[in-house]
Amino acid sequence: MYGFRSPRRENAVHDETVPESPTQNGTCVRNGNLKTPREKRKVREQCENIRRNSPASRRVSQLQNGEVVEAVTLFEVVSMGKQAMQSVVVDWVEAYKQDRNVALLDLINFFIQCSGCQGMVTAEMFQSLYKKDVMQKMTETFDKETGLQYKKFMAYPWILTVTWPMDMDNEDYPLIRTGPYWKKFKANFCEFIAVLVQQCQCSILYDNYLMDTIISLLTGLADSMVRAFRHTSTLAAMKLLTAVVSVHLNLDVNKHNAQRLYEVEKKRLSGKRTSYRLDQLERKRKEYEHKLLEIQNMMNAIFKGTFLTRYRDVIPEIRATCMEEIGNWIKTCPDAFLNDSYLKYVGWMLYDKQAEVRLKCLLGLQGIYSRKELVSRMDLFTNRFKDRIVSMPLDKDHEVAVQAMKLLMLMSQNCGDVLSAEDCEMLYQFVYTTHRPLAVAAGEFLYKRLLSHGGDKVQPKGGKFGASTDQLKRLIHFFLESELHKHVTYLVDSLWDWAGKFLKDWECMTTLLLKNAEEAGEALSDAQESALIEIILATVREAAEGHPPVGRGAAKKILSVKEKKIQLEDCTKITEHFIMVLPQLLAKYSTDAQKVANLLQIPQYYDLDVYSTGHLEKHLDALLREIKDIVAKHSDMSVLEASSRTYYILCREEIAIYSQVDCARTQMIDELMKQLNQLLDCFWQKEGGFCMDAGEISRMHSTLRRVAAFHNAHDLTKWNLYDKTLRFLVFETEHGSLPVLIILPALQCTYFSLLWQLAAVSENSPKETLFPLRRQLRHFSQICTCFLHHKEKDVREKAFMILCDWLLILSHLDSNNNEDAVGLLGYLPNTELQEKLFSFIQEHVFMDGEEEKKDLAEEEKDEACKLDDLHKKRSLLAAYCKLIVYNVVEMTAAAEIYKYYVKTYSDFGDIIKETLSKTRYNDKIQSAKTLILCLQQLFQTHAESQDSSNGVDFSSPSFANIKELARRFSLTFGWDQVKSRESIAMIHKEGIEFAFQGATGGDGKCLPPNLSFLLIISEFSNKLLKPDKRLVITSLVSAVQFGSGSLHFRDTSRYSYLQRYITEPLACRGDKWQPLVWYRNSLLSNEDEQSSVLGSLGEWPPVGSSKTSSFKRKLSNGSVPETSQTEAGSKAPEQQCVSQLSSAAGKSRKRLKSQEMHLQEHLPFLCPGGMRRRYCKDEVKTEDVSEEGPEDTVEDVDVIGTDQDS
């Protein structure tokens, strides 16, 4: 009738019965009493004839998937799109004017179908004069005879009955379906309601029939316990109220226009008593007032009937819809809704537990606070809920936090001093957060509130840089006050989108740095200069790289064409400016290591071709001279590494300035090596001795550090550095009297020398040259191993780090496809070396309690020392874990590391977890064996510490720690049970074998010593697939196949204990067998599995043959309609009842069942005192329903931290 007839009518109502039009005597067919299929079919055919023969019927066709389809129902039109929405609504309005009952029933069917209900709608006219009788009919029940669900409710003047089969347990209805087709359904559904109200606003909207019926219908459906009805009707009601609010606005405008015209006409005709024009305007004004009154009544009915009952619904989507729409009402019609009676609901739901609801509240408030004319009426709301809004940037949901920050920005702009200084200081710190959208929002808040605030009022000083200088000083002051100096890159990135113009004003920044102190007192302090240099470096990096810093964003940003163009322009601007300025800055701050280290990082962002194309070689010479002087003055590693990297960047063979830079680099290294040779000649006075002069040691230390820094990035092999530094190491291993200041750089230089020699091995390298290199590699490995026991802690840690990297490199040699080189130079650690490496980790990372307390006491004075020590420990552990991940040491070595997973989770949990993940990726089975080995070793240690006569103490803290560790291991497998199937199977297999190890006696009555280990592996039972749980039990008797791999048990007699325990319960007495019971019940997660598994073992044969049938419902609000108790079988079994273990007893699954069916549940439980069978009558359990009725049950939702007085 209204649109397109689809070939596949999804969710169409199966049986529709529409009442005939009222007859002359005013009676109506009461279709709710139809019983036989013939009567229903007859009425349905009459309905179809009415619709098809309607004179207002208009067919619209649409081409879909190459064929012309036609729709008849409103639901089909809305599902297919908005193209014919207007015409369909016009057709429906015309049909309503001819026969409103038929048209209304079509609209009612539309709402029922949109709820996804595959059922039947019947209707009868309300003729009873007794309200109590009517209210008794307003029910939602389950018919046990037919297995159908009924909902009867009032949609005045109709009494509607919706009937549907109990197949809605999947809660699948159009509003929540996925796919592109259904994603558009919600928008089309809302559009239909808006168009319907728009088309009716000039005619039938005020007939006291249409809107009353629709509002009654939606209110009745919104009180349903079925989620689909509640969700769909609430959305429809909220959109209906939104459309009515728009009508209210139009009427209000028309009323005011009519009032003005009336006043003008009245003044013009003041001398005359009457006027036709004046009377006409008066009637028009009263008509508008009457319509406004009706509209207000509709608004109040929808708000009180639907919103007040659903804004606290248990379903988050429903609550979010209510919050979204009330925000629209307040923005659209502030005169009616902008008051505390409505605002309080938005404020209360700011405390909602679901992020979606909180987000809708914040978005609604943004629309209100963005309008200054509305803010003045928000004083009470702002005072009441300001603290909550200020705390919401800390929300765990990122989007909520971002929108909360944006709302606070609007409040700061339009609400005066509503935010205190303490509030602002707290909000400023969000510029350092790792979540970039929140940091950018906080950057906007900081820029507009602090940096640009008052900037226009300050008179520029010093020419064109006055305004930028003022902003920079405020930024520097904020940066220093925040005391987060290492996070300047985060600060700059947060401000980049808002303050990019002045952050790219490098000319202003460098001018400020190069100013003399005498110039009007504008020179910066030392701390301010350091901060400004850090800001310069951060801005240069941000402009040149074009993506956020490390830690903000999972991957590098893909730049658009426009962004790439801006990036190239910024790089050119950086190069042209700093090529000339950087040498001056280095000369000024050449004695300050921190400033120089930061400034020397700028050349890596140069466009180096500018040197040659711009003929700026003289500036390059100036830069190289300054770097050479800096290297001679400093021994700080940060400065030396920055200098070495700058030479590496400038000394590329493909650029034009290579020869110039290479000459300068060679000259500088020659001077360094000359200085080193002179010191070595003075240092070694005689064979076996050296000079102990402190000055000589200091100079040797500085020179070796400079050489090591450059040897890291540059090949210094031609200077024969290896022999010179190796002599220090050999002397230390033989005599042990060298200072640490010499050992550490010598060790580093030797390591770099060997790495460069390895890198030089090519495909054509002769075997004769490889043997000396092989001896050098082995010799260096022995020296590092020896240094693991050095008396100095710094030497031990440096040797360990180098040795780990060294072993990793040697075990994965490529050597340019030279197989001889790989065979000669490759090296894997033996068992002794692996043990030494782990012993080192135990002593230096997982230290004992007394030593740890001692170290903490020493470092109590300085918090920075604690952080540095923790960083060293993490580096040591990460280096060792890399050896495990890359198979340099055996994977079983990880078992010792995993023992500390829970104990040291705050410090090393991420490293251990990543190691576990990587090893599992390499070999799932071996990784699972490593996990179970870890638990076995801990269990054995625990058992040895216990009294053997009393067995294992389950309540001891150590046993609880082992169970907690097993639980954490189980969580690392995630939710994909299929992916982890083989690993979990291996854990159970190895665990069961270990649990029954050491059992003696052929009768199987001896308690296995490790039986309590079953409690540990029970933590992994929930990760087994349901079929695998049965296989794990049956595999105790015989071998079974597990997926692609096989799970074979070598000694099946060992596992006869569980079978004997089931079949011969008298042989197993005492609580010592309790772990077996608990483990078995962890595998049998519900009653159905228990029955099926035990049935497969030949236990508890079925009694009776009647088939159990049930109808399940998943009610979203946790409420179940009342049902009678299910009748049980009449014949009781003659077996005795067994007592249930409290630890094993589980609640029966809540079900609704038919009265005609017999429920036969067999719930066997194991008992240490004996095993007996029983057959019992179980009652169907239903969840508690509030005495206040289903309406209150649906509304019962907690809203945190509010006093919700409606």
Side-chain angles (χ1 to χ4, degrees), residues 71-85:
V72 200
T73 66
L74 294 173
F75 174 76
E76 291 170 348
V77 175
V78 172
S79 298
M80 297 183 68
K82 303 178 183 178
Q83 183 175 350
M85 196 83 69

Side-chain angles (χ1 to χ4, degrees), residues 1037-1105:
V1037 185
S1038 60
V1040 296
Q1041 296 294 324
F1042 245 77
S1044 60
S1046 59
L1047 180 63
H1048 298 291
F1049 293 89
R1050 295 180 293 274
D1051 186 6
T1052 56
S1053 63
R1054 180 184 302 167
Y1055 310 106
S1056 61
Y1057 290 96
L1058 184 58
Q1059 179 67 3
R1060 287 197 181 98
Y1061 184 73
I1062 296 175
T1063 58
E1064 301 177 14
L1066 296 179
C1068 305
R1069 297 180 181 273
D1071 294 337
K1072 294 182 178 180
W1073 289 90
Q1074 196 76 357
L1076 185 59
V1077 180
W1078 288 336
Y1079 177 60
R1080 173 187 169 278
N1081 286 319
S1082 72
L1083 296 173
L1084 304 177
S1085 58
N1086 54 50
E1087 296 89 337
D1088 292 340
E1089 288 188 33
Q1090 287 177 335
S1091 300
S1092 60
V1093 172
L1094 292 175
S1096 66
L1097 294 175
E1099 294 298 312
W1100 291 279
V1103 180
S1105 59

